[in-house]
């Protein structure tokens, strides 16, 4: 069970990361591969960026990477992606349900389409990927690469805890992911499947570009972050790799906030 190369503790394991051609998903895929895992880089648009990330991972000579297209909100596409991944890698040991979108609006102007799109990708997508992961882990049985039968890692958000005016669709999905994750963790712990969530704070990616891409915006954002820096995708990737490894074998059902203290009610440092 102990990997022969401690610098690459995920050697011999196969991972699938949804929404892996940009942002946090890209950071997770790169780190899992750097630590030895073979990775599926899932994407739905911009195949060229997925191919570029795979080429760079493959050139680094650690884990191997392949790109697979699927819209995670679509059941048939998720099932086809898992079938393809299992055909190419043999099986999966780590599934990172990461794909997420924002379609922001105040409540009065939010359209049903904005609501449904965000629920579809962020929450239904998480359910579909978790279900296929559980099916594959139980079908295949224990392997000699990990103490666990399999690991499911959800990308949630600080907004599973912090309400977010103007983003009620998004915050609702993150609250939903918390209960999905905990229910899956409770159901599958006896089968040795671990399920956990990472709750990122403000990580500089395309999804929140407006919040950090001018000095004024970045300064305003930093007032919400006690640790005083905006996060990077690698901050999340490293935690995902640790949650996927046997170093975290006794952790299941946990929400790990990776947020520079954003959930510490920073306004109360000087007020209250
Ligand atoms: C959102 C970002 C936001 C961050 C902190 C994330 O879940 O996707 O847009 O900057 O939370 O508020």
């Amino acid at each position: 069970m102990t990997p022969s190369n401690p610098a690459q503790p995920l050697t011999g394991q196969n991972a699938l990361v949804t929404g892996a051609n940009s942002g946090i998903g890209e950071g997770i895929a790169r780190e899992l591969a750097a630590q030895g895992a073979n990775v599926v880089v899932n994407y739905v648009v911009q195949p060229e960026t997925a191919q570029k990330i795979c080429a760079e991972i493959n050139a680094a000579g650690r884990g191997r990477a392949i790109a697979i297209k699927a819209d995670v909100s679509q059941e048939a596409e998720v099932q086809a992606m898992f079938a393809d991944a299992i055909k190419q890698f043999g099986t999966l040991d780590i599934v990172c349900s990461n794909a997420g979108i924002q379609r922001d609006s105040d409540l009065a102007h939010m359209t049903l389409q904005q609501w449904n799109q965000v629920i579809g990708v962020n929450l239904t997508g998480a359910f579909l990927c978790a279900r296929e992961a559980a099916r594959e882990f139980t079908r295949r049985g224990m392997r000699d690469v990990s103490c666990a039968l399999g690991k499911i890692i959800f990308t949630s958000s600080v907004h599973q805890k912090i309400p977010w005016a103007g983003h009620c669709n998004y915050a609702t999905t993150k609250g939903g992911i918390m209960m999905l994750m905990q229910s899956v963790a409770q159901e599958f712990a006896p089968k040795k499947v671990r399920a956990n969530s990472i709750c990122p704070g403000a990580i500089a990616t395309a999804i929140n570009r407006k919040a950090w891409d001018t000095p004024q915006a970045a300064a305003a954002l930093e007032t919400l972050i006690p640790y005083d820096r905006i996060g990077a995708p690698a901050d999340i990737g490293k935690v995902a790799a640790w949650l996927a490894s046997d170093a975290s074998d006794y952790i299941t059902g946990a929400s790990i906030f990776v947020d520079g203290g954003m959930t510490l009610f920073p306004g109360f440092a000087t007020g209250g």
Side-chain angles (χ1 to χ4, degrees), residues 98-152:
N98 165 81
I101 58 169
Q102 288 181 214
R103 294 290 180 270
D104 306 328
S105 169
D106 62 281
L107 177 62
H109 294 100
M110 187 174 286
T111 63
L112 182 59
Q113 190 189 24
Q114 287 173 313
W115 174 266
N116 281 338
Q117 275 183 337
V118 174
I119 300 284
V121 173
N122 298 13
L123 192 53
T124 305
F127 153 69
L128 291 171
C129 291
R131 188 186 67 179
E132 295 311 308
R135 286 177 175 171
E136 172 57 13
F137 299 159
T138 45
R139 179 201 68 78
R140 171 255 295 151
M142 284 302 276
R143 300 212 302 143
D144 197 24
V145 292
S146 171
C147 304
L149 183 69
K151 282 85 53 162
I152 304 173

Side-chain angles (χ1 to χ4, degrees), residues 24 100-102 104 122 155-160 162 164 167 170 174 199-209 211-212 221 224-225 230 259 262:
I24 288 174
I101 58 169
Q102 288 181 214
D104 306 328
N122 298 13
T155 302
S156 181
S157 166
V158 289
H159 297 297
Q160 77 169 42
I162 304 176
W164 208 15
H167 310 260
Y170 181 86
K174 298 304 182 175
C199 303
I203 308 301
T205 68
I207 208 172
N208 59 357
R209 185 177 301 281
W212 55 265
L221 185 56
L224 299 176
I225 309 170
I230 297 167
D259 67 351
M262 194 175 236

Side-chain angles (χ1 to χ4, degrees), residues 9 16 20 29 34 37 59 67 78 81 100-101 131 134 142 146 149 156 159 179 183 188 193 212 229 233 255:
L16 181 151
V78 172
M81 170 172 67
I101 58 169
R131 188 186 67 179
M142 284 302 276
S146 171
L149 183 69
S156 181
H159 297 297
M179 287 312 295
S183 302
F188 278 89
V193 174
W212 55 265
R229 79 167 167 86
S255 290

Side-chain angles (χ1 to χ4, degrees), residues 20-93:
N21 65 336
S22 70
I24 288 174
E26 176 181 350
I28 294 173
R30 286 185 185 277
E31 191 60 33
L32 294 180
Q35 298 201 20
N38 299 317
V39 285
V40 173
V41 173
N42 159 255
Y43 67 97
V44 65
V45 289
Q46 296 176 327
E48 61 291 345
T49 58
Q51 293 299 350
K52 179 169 178 281
I53 292 162
C54 289
E56 288 172 10
I57 289 174
N58 288 325
R62 296 187 169 198
R64 197 157 65 83
I66 55 172
I68 303 184
K69 181 176 180 184
D71 173 347
V72 296
S73 70
Q74 302 301 314
E75 182 176 37
E77 293 188 36
V78 172
Q79 291 183 321
M81 170 172 67
F82 272 76
D84 190 7
I86 292 160
K87 193 167 148 225
Q88 296 203 53
F89 283 162
T91 188
L92 290 167
D93 307 282

